[in-house]
Amino acid sequence: MEKAFLKEKKEWIALAGFVIVALAAIILGICIWKVPVVAMCVLVILEVGIAVMLHNAELWFHAVVILIEVIAGVLAARVAPILLCIAAYVAAAAVLRVLDKGEEQ
């Protein structure tokens, strides 16, 4: 019974996980690293937008995007907020993969 429920609600569970990660990234960026509210929200929205545009790309391409973001964070001396944005990017890409697999079945 539980497996059928999880299989049936997999997309909603993945979406809820993404929302939790995105909200956690925004709240941690604002409260701990003192990033302005608008800037942190825009960063997370940009990451989700990039994930949407590249969700059909190969896995190595996602790794390259993440590497470029880490390098940009190091150069800007803002590694921690960029790591939060990367978490939002990975969560968004994972949700999109789950949704794509759900449509194929």
Side-chain angles (χ1 to χ4, degrees), residues 37-83:
V37 176
V38 173
M40 195 64 205
C41 291
V42 167
L43 283 172
V44 170
I45 290 169
L46 285 174
E47 291 295 325
V48 172
I50 293 169
V52 168
M53 288 187 286
L54 300 176
H55 83 279
N56 287 327
E58 298 291 328
L59 185 60
W60 65 268
F61 195 76
H62 290 290
V64 169
V65 170
I66 290 171
L67 180 64
I68 291 170
E69 290 177 3
V70 169
I71 291 170
V74 169
L75 292 176
R78 291 290 201 164
V79 176
I82 292 297
L83 291 177

